[in-house]
């Protein structure tokens, strides 16, 4: 039995579920973080670093994904 773990999607960052990460995913992440609704798939993929919470740290990772840095 798993306790205290976080469920992390293997497609983290692909919030719109179209395959790959792009600016639309970044916009969806920003909207979700300011309180706008997001589908369950979107929510699970918004936690890019897998710490169990979608927050500013995930924005940093999104930028890295988009810039290849």
């Amino acid at each position: 039995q798993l306790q205290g773990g976080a469920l992390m999607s293997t497609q983290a960052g692909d919030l719109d579920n179209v395959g790959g990460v792009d600016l639309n995913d970044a916009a969806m992440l920003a909207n979700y973080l300011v309180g706008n609704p997001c589908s369950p798939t979107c929510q699970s993929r918004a936690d890019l670093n897998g710490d169990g919470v979608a927050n500013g740290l995930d924005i940093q990772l999104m930028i890295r994904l988009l810039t290849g840095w």
Side-chain angles (χ1 to χ4, degrees), residues 45-56:
R45 294 177 180 186
D47 180 19
L48 276 73
N49 66 358
D51 67 355
V53 166
N55 57 28

Side-chain angles (χ1 to χ4, degrees), residues 16-30:
D16 59 8
N17 196 30
V18 297
V21 178
D22 57 24
L23 290 176
N24 188 56
D25 297 302
M28 289 178 70
L29 177 59

Side-chain angles (χ1 to χ4, degrees), residues 6-41:
L7 177 62
M8 183 175 170
S9 171
T10 58
Q11 297 168 324
D14 182 17
L15 278 67
D16 59 8
N17 196 30
V18 297
V21 178
D22 57 24
L23 290 176
N24 188 56
D25 297 302
M28 289 178 70
L29 177 59
N31 284 325
Y32 177 56
L33 293 178
V34 297
N36 291 313
C38 187
S39 72
T41 297

